[in-house]
Amino acid sequence: MFKAIMLDPDNRDYLKGMIHYITGIPLSELENITVENSDYLIGNKKDKKMRSDIIISVGNRYINIEMNKDYYEGIFRKDHAYFEKISANVYNLYKR
């Protein structure tokens, strides 16, 4: 539900406002945000499929938005793993 609400084109101003409030990025810079593919590339058959809720790019910045129902042990390790996957995907895009 979170993803559906946040990615609805009618709620784009709300999404930009939330990103501005949390990150401090000026609203004028958020006019051209792009919603990126939130499925991470699988490097080999042992990799677990990972998916973020929302990934937004703003120029050369990438913002990963996650909504977690509860706090649990390991949540920060999981979020860090997502960050590492995003970094690898961006590196592979620019490497080409």
Side-chain angles (χ1 to χ4, degrees):
M1 187 59 113
F2 169 75
K3 188 173 181 176
I5 292 170
M6 297 306 288
L7 295 181
D8 185 323
D10 292 337
N11 296 330
R12 187 56 60 111
D13 287 339
Y14 179 75
L15 175 63
K16 290 188 286 190
M18 183 185 74
I19 293 170
H20 165 70
Y21 179 76
I22 293 169
T23 66
I25 297 172
L27 286 171
S28 60
E29 291 182 30
L30 297 174
E31 287 304 314
N32 297 316
I33 62 175
T34 304
V35 177
E36 301 290 332
N37 182 1
S38 59
D39 291 328
Y40 300 110
L41 299 175
I42 297 175
N44 62 58
K45 66 181 181 181
K46 292 182 181 181
D47 279 354
K48 177 184 172 196
K49 183 169 178 137
M50 297 173 75
R51 177 182 297 135
S52 281
D53 290 336
I54 302 170
I55 299 177
I56 302 288
S57 65
V58 181
N60 64 351
R61 298 179 233 182
Y62 288 83
I63 301 168
N64 180 26
I65 302 172
E66 292 292 326
M67 173 61 78
N68 296 299
K69 185 173 114 178
D70 297 309
Y71 174 82
Y72 58 89
E73 190 65 36
I75 195 167
F76 294 111
R77 283 191 304 276
K78 179 194 80 159
D79 288 344
H80 183 73
Y82 284 5
F83 171 75
E84 294 294 330
K85 283 284 194 176
I86 292 170
S87 297
N89 287 349
V90 170
Y91 172 76
N92 287 329
L93 285 174
Y94 288 110
K95 188 172 81 171
R96 295 180 198 169

